[in-house]
Amino acid sequence: MDFCSTCTNWLMECITIVSYSFLLNDEAVGNIAPQRGIWQGDPLSLYIFIICGEILSGIKVQEDGSLPGIKVARNSPKINHLLFADDTMFFTKTDSSACSCLMSILHSYEAASGQKINALKSFISCSRKTPAEIRLRVKSQLGIDKEGGVGKYLGLPEHFGRKKKDLFASIVDIMKQRSLNWSTQFLSTAGWRLITNPECLLAKVLLGKYCHKTPFLKVSASTAISHGWRGILLGRDLLFKHLGKAVRNGESTSVWKDSWIHPKTNLRPIGPVLLKDNDLMASDLLTRETKEWNASLIDNLFPDLKDHILSLRPSVLGARDSVIWPLHKSGKYSVKSGYYSTFVSPTESALVSEDTCDWKHLIWSQHLSPKLKYFLWKIGYDALPTGRNLQRRGLLTNTNCIRYGAVEIVEHIFFHCQFAIEVWSNGPWNCQVDTTTNTSFLDILKESWKWTPLPPYGFTGNAVPWLCWSIWILRNQLLFENRT
């Protein structure tokens, strides 16, 4: 992998000098050198494992056809292996030559890395039409006795058929229970990438299977599609009305069907369309030589929109048109803007999107852990799953604090609740937090810049870190509350 000799020596030094001692009667005794190198919990072990796994992934066996891999559809790419954490899945044919090639690869990898495949923990999964005698031969050739497909992986069944309602009912119930608990704050946020990153492996597989004849934005749901793809199309339809196009070379932007003139207001040309102009693309409005707007043609076709169109700047280098999300100033889709575009009125969405707080100075530039910064930011945005916020989403009927009966909002949880008052009264600073007023959390956080911690904490400069850790204590206390 072209590591320099100095870096390689450092890594090998960490691996070869490891030794263990044991505590016997509160005294460290013994000096054992393990044969496996660094211990499993060492932070370096993860990176060593990734480097070794990268070598396994980089074996050029797909190009020469010795380990051809499997396609999920005719137009999807071939896949011969996938890696997730410390699990590896190989996909290959059942003929003898393919199995021999796989074993040769594994033996070479074992000799180079020292990592040996555990056949007792390995499984094989064959298609339903694979004859029994072929299954036995593959097991014997690979040295694996167990067959997979009947268990679960990451909480989901390994194999399932078309009827998924009963199969996933238990998972839906679990997610509903978790949505009523504080653990929902650990759910990760994500966006759709089939449009913005079509070159990723997942996009190639899905688009090759379902969109090889019709583009993703235009493909319709058929009766023979998977449960996951049906959900993707549902999400696409919810967001489709807000998508816009940024004109670069104009070759993929339809003049009449795409929102490209002013996507934020969905400004589009209207009026009767001549038959010869029905398939007009934005590239047809550009000059062939300079790739600039043809002002005379635009004035003839869209006189009312001429100024708007001429204000756009197409690419002189021929860059491709891109899909944009006009409801965010960056043009990239975010879960928050998608939620407000679907469930919140335009007036409420505009009010929520206004942001006058200096988050960089207040939170992001502070010397705090990333988890604490993110938590403070969620408090400032009122994005925590408080009783009132959960009721707005139809998840709770009782929004009161389980301790003192007041409405459960951010200010009550962190300042007005009796437990919060006791935490603030014991804080290491020279002034007391006023928990009797209705001052907002952001105002108190801004005011904390003026506080000075009491000794022995006074050398840290300001009291912001201690204020934040008091809030974290309150947060941990709330995680143990029984909200039912």
Side-chain angles (χ1 to χ4, degrees):
M1 299 184 70
D2 293 331
F3 283 103
C4 66
S5 58
T6 303
C7 181
T8 303
N9 292 333
W10 285 346
L11 292 175
M12 294 307 300
E13 189 76 8
C14 295
I15 295 174
T16 55
I17 65 173
V18 178
S19 63
Y20 293 110
S21 298
F22 299 92
L23 287 178
L24 182 62
N25 297 328
D26 295 331
E27 181 181 357
V29 295
N31 188 10
I32 300 176
Q35 297 181 354
R36 294 283 183 174
I38 55 180
W39 54 284
Q40 185 175 2
D42 192 298
L44 184 61
S45 64
L46 300 176
Y47 299 97
I48 299 297
F49 185 87
I50 292 174
I51 291 175
C52 295
E54 187 69 18
I55 298 301
L56 181 61
S57 299
I59 298 177
K60 303 296 184 181
V61 295
Q62 188 166 334
E63 296 179 357
D64 58 10
S66 56
L67 193 66
I70 295 177
K71 292 183 177 182
V72 300
R74 182 176 300 175
N75 295 278
S76 298
K78 291 182 178 180
I79 300 176
N80 56 19
H81 73 284
L82 290 175
L83 291 87
F84 181 80
D86 58 348
D87 294 327
T88 304
M89 292 177 284
F90 292 95
F91 305 92
T92 184
K93 302 291 185 180
T94 57
D95 57 86
S96 180
S97 60
C99 294
S100 299
C101 178
L102 176 58
M103 293 304 298
S104 176
I105 293 172
L106 295 180
H107 290 327
S108 299
Y109 177 71
E110 291 173 2
S113 66
Q115 293 179 317
K116 183 176 178 61
I117 305 298
N118 191 339
L120 298 179
K121 295 183 179 181
S122 301
F123 301 86
I124 65 168
S125 296
C126 301
S127 61
R128 292 181 298 175
K129 297 182 180 180
T130 305
E133 58 272 15
I134 294 182
R135 293 173 184 258
L136 293 175
R137 178 180 57 78
V138 172
K139 289 181 180 180
S140 175
Q141 194 168 1
L142 298 181
I144 300 175
D145 295 330
K146 298 180 181 179
E147 288 196 35
V150 295
K152 291 185 177 181
Y153 183 72
L154 298 180
L156 296 176
E158 294 180 7
H159 286 177
F160 47 85
R162 294 182 179 273
K163 294 183 179 181
K164 306 173 183 66
K165 183 176 181 180
D166 297 336
L167 188 64
F168 291 102
S170 60
I171 300 176
V172 174
D173 293 338
I174 293 175
M175 295 307 298
K176 285 183 178 180
Q177 285 295 115
R178 290 185 177 181
S179 66
L180 299 177
N181 194 279
W182 279 92
S183 60
T184 52
Q185 63 183 312
F186 297 113
L187 294 177
S188 60
T189 56
W192 292 302
R193 300 175 63 201
L194 295 178
I195 299 176
T196 59
N197 191 14
E199 297 301 320
C200 68
L201 179 60
L202 179 61
K204 286 183 178 180
V205 172
L206 293 177
L207 297 179
K209 182 176 183 179
Y210 297 108
C211 305
H212 56 278
K213 294 182 179 179
T214 308
F216 171 65
L217 294 177
K218 298 180 180 179
V219 69
S220 58
S222 62
T223 56
I225 61 176
S226 67
H227 178 77
W229 182 252
R230 192 179 301 277
I232 291 175
L233 294 183
L234 178 62
R236 179 207 62 178
D237 295 339
L238 289 174
L239 305 177
F240 181 72
K241 58 183 179 180
H242 296 293
L243 291 179
K245 293 293 287 290
V247 177
R248 299 293 183 260
N249 59 14
E251 294 180 357
S252 63
T253 301
S254 173
V255 170
W256 308 102
K257 298 178 182 179
D258 292 327
S259 178
W260 60 279
I261 299 177
H262 196 273
K264 192 170 185 179
T265 59
N266 199 20
L267 181 63
R268 305 190 185 199
I270 58 176
V273 183
L274 299 178
L275 183 61
K276 63 182 183 66
D277 296 330
N278 190 39
D279 297 327
L280 194 67
M281 306 299 289
S283 58
D284 299 327
L285 305 179
L286 301 173
T287 59
R288 294 184 177 180
E289 296 79 13
T290 61
K291 297 300 179 181
E292 296 178 350
W293 294 113
N294 190 332
S296 59
L297 178 60
I298 295 174
D299 186 45
N300 184 34
L301 293 175
F302 319 110
D304 297 336
L305 302 176
K306 179 180 178 181
D307 294 338
H308 291 284
I309 297 176
L310 294 181
S311 65
L312 303 177
R313 293 292 180 264
S315 173
V316 296
L317 300 178
R320 295 181 179 179
D321 300 340
S322 60
V323 178
I324 61 173
W325 181 254
L327 301 185
H328 197 278
K329 61 182 180 180
S330 66
K332 297 181 180 179
Y333 172 79
S334 66
V335 176
K336 178 181 178 180
S337 60
Y339 172 82
Y340 284 112
S341 69
T342 306
F343 300 105
V344 181
S345 64
T347 304
E348 294 176 325
S349 179
L351 292 175
V352 174
S353 61
E354 293 181 358
D355 194 352
T356 59
C357 181
D358 187 4
W359 296 106
K360 181 179 180 180
H361 176 74
L362 195 61
I363 295 176
W364 303 123
S365 61
Q366 298 296 323
H367 296 289
L368 304 170
S369 66
K371 180 184 292 186
L372 184 55
K373 290 180 181 180
Y374 181 55
F375 182 70
L376 293 175
W377 177 78
K378 292 182 70 174
I379 297 176
Y381 256 117
D382 194 19
L384 291 180
T386 60
R388 186 177 66 176
N389 288 341
L390 291 176
Q391 187 188 43
R392 290 176 178 175
R393 292 163 173 79
L395 299 176
L396 281 181
T397 56
N398 182 14
T399 64
N400 295 335
C401 173
I402 63 174
R403 288 172 174 260
Y404 300 100
V407 177
E408 192 180 64
I409 59 177
V410 166
E411 285 71 23
H412 172 80
I413 293 174
F414 293 101
F415 299 109
H416 302 155
C417 186
Q418 184 61 36
F419 180 80
I421 294 175
E422 294 177 4
V423 171
W424 294 121
S425 63
N426 292 286
W429 36 71
N430 60 353
C431 63
Q432 295 296 326
V433 179
D434 187 3
T435 58
T436 61
T437 61
N438 293 325
T439 307
S440 68
F441 167 80
L442 291 180
D443 292 337
I444 295 180
L445 186 59
K446 293 176 183 177
E447 187 67 21
S448 66
W449 277 97
K450 304 176 183 178
W451 301 349
T452 301
L454 295 174
Y457 311 110
F459 298 103
T460 60
N462 58 65
V464 172
W466 304 108
L467 168 76
C468 297
W469 283 117
S470 296
I471 293 174
W472 193 252
I473 291 173
L474 293 171
R475 173 258 187 197
N476 291 335
Q477 174 68 18
L478 293 171
L479 286 179
F480 291 104
E481 298 287 358
N482 185 4
R483 301 183 61 87
T484 58

